[in-house]
Every structure is written in structure tokens, then in C-alpha cells.
Amino acid sequence: MTRSRMLLLAAAAAVIVGAAYWYQGSRQTRGAVQAPAAVPVTVATAALGDMPVLLSVVGRAEAYESVTLKSRLDGQVAAVHYTEGRHVRQGEVLIRLDPGDFEARLLQAEANLARDEALLGKARADVGRYIALKERGFVSDEKVNELRTAEAAALATVKADQAAVRFARLQLSYTTIVAPFAGVVGARLVFPGSAVKVNDTVLAVVNRVRPLYVSFSIPEKYLPRVRRAMATADMRADVSIPGDAEQRFAASVRFLDNAVDVTTGTIQMKALVENRDERLTPGQFVNVSMSLDTLSNAVVVPTDAVQQGPDGNFLFVVGQDSTVQPRKVDVVASYGGLAAIGKGIAAGEIVVTDGQLRLTPGARVQVKPPRDEAAQPGGGAPAAPQAKT
């Protein structure tokens, strides 16, 4: 065999071996495309449970009683006795106006009363004397009637003087401004020497904060549930301060307005908080939660499993062959990391709670160990869900 022929055979063998390697690599590549790697996901099992439905809204604290004190007469501030921001007792003197003018008016009214009472006494004595003279025939009936008229006029004058004295005393009492109830007085608004006008100048603001109201509004679609809850028992509410979950207050729902606000579609409600330690202040924003109903044997899944799509809520359900399929669901309530499903999934089915971004219908998944076993609804009694607004 010649040297050139041997080289030709070696080249042909190299081409055959290269073609074989290329064909094998091409088959492996096609196999990899046809069978992609499984997507690592975290899953949870849908469970059944009885859960209360909570309606959570934002409210505002209100004083149980609040009064803006104004003067009932024109005058000048003589003294301010309260310290702004402190507690005051019912009947405690807050402000005194200059009483000089009103004391003089009272003295004048009392003097007029004394004078007219003396005139009334004389008129009565004259009537008695002339009646005796008439019985002896010395005076006529006409004269007696004239004196009796004078007596009646004097009596009317005395009654008018008594009313004037009472009015002067009442005016004098208005110079002393007292707290109408026990509460907390606000900032000082007037000072000694300030001129005040009747029913115009604000002298002080007193709020009763123990107990205290929390006012809030709810969507009108919850009216039937709220009315049922208020009719069956004393409806309770839970009040908390935003950003401070440690501070929670028990409240009792006391008021449901008689009309829905047509501009917002909401209706106002009020709950009463004892506020014994005065941790809530009128005007403060608070969170309010009310138990409206109890879902019996509700299907519960972690809220992380529920996704939002163009057609509404859905989640990925893992089949027995380790593939996933999206399923549209109806979420009726959610709270504390759990969601109650009205329809779309049954108890015992496995849903994906993490890794949904890489999933497509029919994708194969590989289950990762959960980071927190207690987070799964099957691991214990689920928390109360929140009604969707």
C-alpha cells in the first residue's frame, strides 16, 4: 500500500469519527431542549379550618365629650386658673372675667327691689285701712278699689324687680367659667386683660378622654353582616396604633349611622374604648378590626401562593407527575399570611408558594424544603383572615 493511500484512509477515518461525535452531541443537545431542568419551588398543602372573617379599616379617635367654652357676656379676662394640657375636675374654675360691672348691676337691682317692696307694704297697709273706713261709711267703694289697684301694681313691680335681681346674679355668675365635666383642658387661648365678646371668643377647650370613641367608615357592602353581628350579640372591635402592634385596645361597637354617604359609598360607625391609661388621644389615627362572620371548613392556603393575573387571582397547583398547572381561584378573605379560598381548589391539593416567576403551564418542578414549617396552614390553627375591601 502506497504512502498516499494510507494518508487518504487515515483522513477518512478521522472524518467518520468526527461525524460520530458531532451526531452524538447533537442528540444530547436536542434531548436537553426537549426535557428542561425541573424548576425548584416551595409548596404548601391546602387545609380546612374554621376562621373568623375580620374587617379592617382605618379610624380616628374622638373625645367622648368635647366642649368649646365661650363667654356668655362681653367683658375682660381677669384671671386664668388652669394649666394647659392638664386634667380638670367637673365644676373646677378655669377662667374669671372682671365682675365689677355685673356686681354694680346686681346692687342696683337689689336696691330697686328693696324700694318697691317698701312701697308694696305701704299699699297693702292703705288697703287695710280704707277697708275699715269703708265699713264705717267714711269712704266709697271706688276709693277702696283704687287702692287695691295700686297694691296690685306695686306687687307686679316687686316681681319685676325680683326677676331683675335674678338676672343680675345670673350675669354675675357668667363671669366665672368652670369645667362642665372632668377631662383634659387644651392650650391657653386667652390671658388676663384679653377682651372677650359674647358667644364669639374661644376661652378654652375641654375633652373627655375616658372613655373615648373611635370613629370609622365601612363600605356599604358589609352592612348586612354588620347588622347581623350587632343584632346577635355585643359586637366587639380591636383597636391598634399604626406601626405599634404591641398596643391593642378592646372596644365595643356602639353606633351605626342611619344613612350611607352617597359620595363615598360608606357608612359611619363608632366604637367605645375605655382608654383608662389615656394612651389614645382625640384626633389620632388608629387601625380597627371587627369580626363579621366565621368561615366554617374554609380552604386555606398561604397568601404567597395567590398570584394576580389579567383574569384575576390564580395559583399554581402541583400534580402527581410533579408538573404544575395554573388555576383561577376566588379569594374571600386574607389575613396574617393566609388566604381563604371560596372556590377553585380543594383541601389536600399542593400549591406553589415560592418560585412562580419561572413557571409555565405544564412545567416540571422540584420541591425545596420549606424554610418555615409553621408557616404552612396545615401546621396548626390558622389565624383570622381579613375581609377583602
Side-chain angles (χ1 to χ4, degrees):
M1 184 179 294
T2 63
R3 180 180 179 85
S4 60
R5 188 172 182 179
M6 291 178 63
L7 291 175
L8 182 61
L9 291 175
V15 170
I16 293 172
V17 172
Y21 276 112
W22 174 86
Y23 179 74
Q24 183 67 22
S26 177
R27 287 187 60 188
Q28 292 178 354
T29 302
R30 289 196 301 271
V33 173
Q34 293 174 358
V39 178
V41 296
T42 303
V43 299
T45 303
L48 292 178
D50 295 339
M51 304 184 342
V53 179
L54 299 182
L55 172 62
S56 295
V57 294
V58 176
R60 188 186 290 273
E62 292 182 1
Y64 185 80
E65 292 178 299
S66 180
V67 62
T68 300
L69 298 176
K70 296 182 179 181
S71 175
R72 301 182 67 173
L73 42 80
D74 294 329
Q76 190 175 41
V77 176
V80 178
H81 296 282
Y82 70 88
T83 301
E84 52 189 354
R86 76 174 182 88
H87 290 80
V88 294
R89 302 181 306 275
Q90 183 176 8
E92 181 177 343
V93 176
L94 303 179
I95 296 172
R96 292 188 186 275
L97 304 181
D98 185 2
D101 293 346
F102 305 98
E103 289 175 344
R105 294 176 189 178
L106 176 59
L107 291 175
Q108 182 180 17
E110 290 176 340
N112 291 337
L113 175 60
R115 179 197 62 196
D116 292 332
E117 285 179 340
L119 293 177
L120 175 61
K122 180 181 181 301
R124 284 174 176 171
D126 290 342
V127 170
R129 186 170 61 255
Y130 272 79
I131 288 176
L133 292 175
K134 175 182 171 296
E135 292 175 351
R136 296 168 59 184
F138 293 114
V139 295
S140 63
D141 290 339
E142 182 180 356
K143 184 62 176 179
V144 173
N145 291 336
E146 181 181 344
L147 293 174
R148 283 178 173 170
T149 301
E151 178 191 12
L155 179 61
T157 302
V158 168
K159 289 184 177 180
D161 291 339
Q162 291 174 343
V165 170
R166 184 178 300 175
F167 179 73
R169 286 176 179 165
L170 192 61
Q171 292 286 94
L172 181 60
S173 69
Y174 291 160
T175 61
T176 302
I177 313 299
V178 301
F181 48 78
V184 179
V185 67
R188 180 178 292 191
L189 302 177
V190 293
F191 301 86
S194 301
V196 298
K197 291 185 177 181
V198 56
N199 201 32
D200 180 47
T201 307
V202 177
L203 304 178
V205 178
V206 180
N207 289 332
R208 181 180 175 186
V209 296
R210 292 184 296 180
L212 180 140
Y213 277 122
V214 173
S215 177
F216 54 94
S217 297
I218 64 169
E220 59 181 317
K221 65 180 180 179
Y222 294 110
L223 266 176
R225 286 183 173 182
V226 169
R227 287 199 174 108
R228 284 197 302 267
M230 295 182 68
T232 55
D234 182 19
M235 190 172 184
R236 308 297 297 178
D238 182 73
V239 178
S240 61
I241 298 177
D244 189 355
E246 297 291 329
Q247 300 195 55
R248 310 189 76 86
F249 311 88
S252 176
V253 178
R254 295 293 182 88
F255 171 74
L256 176 66
D257 207 352
N258 59 359
V260 174
D261 188 337
V262 296
T263 59
T264 62
T266 61
I267 188 168
Q268 187 182 29
M269 298 184 67
K270 289 184 180 181
L272 188 67
V273 181
E274 290 298 330
N275 199 33
R276 297 187 185 277
D277 51 4
E278 297 186 12
R279 286 186 290 172
L280 293 178
T281 303
Q284 184 177 3
F285 278 109
V286 293
N287 294 325
V288 183
S289 296
M290 298 183 299
S291 179
L292 299 182
D293 200 355
T294 299
L295 298 176
S296 299
N297 293 324
V299 179
V300 181
V301 299
T303 53
D304 292 339
V306 181
Q307 303 294 302
Q308 185 68 37
D311 297 329
N313 294 320
F314 73 96
L315 46 73
F316 285 99
V317 179
V318 181
Q320 294 182 352
D321 57 353
S322 296
T323 61
V324 296
Q325 293 295 334
R327 183 142 351 139
K328 187 175 180 181
V329 293
D330 181 16
V331 180
V332 296
S334 61
Y335 182 77
L338 298 175
I341 308 299
K343 59 181 180 179
I345 192 172
E349 291 190 281
I350 299 176
V351 298
V352 177
T353 60
D354 185 40
Q356 295 96 326
L357 293 178
R358 298 176 58 188
L359 296 181
T360 57
R364 186 174 299 277
V365 297
Q366 180 182 3
V367 178
K368 298 188 298 182
R371 288 173 295 180
D372 186 2
E373 294 287 346
Q376 299 190 31
Q386 172 187 357
K388 295 181 65 182
T389 59

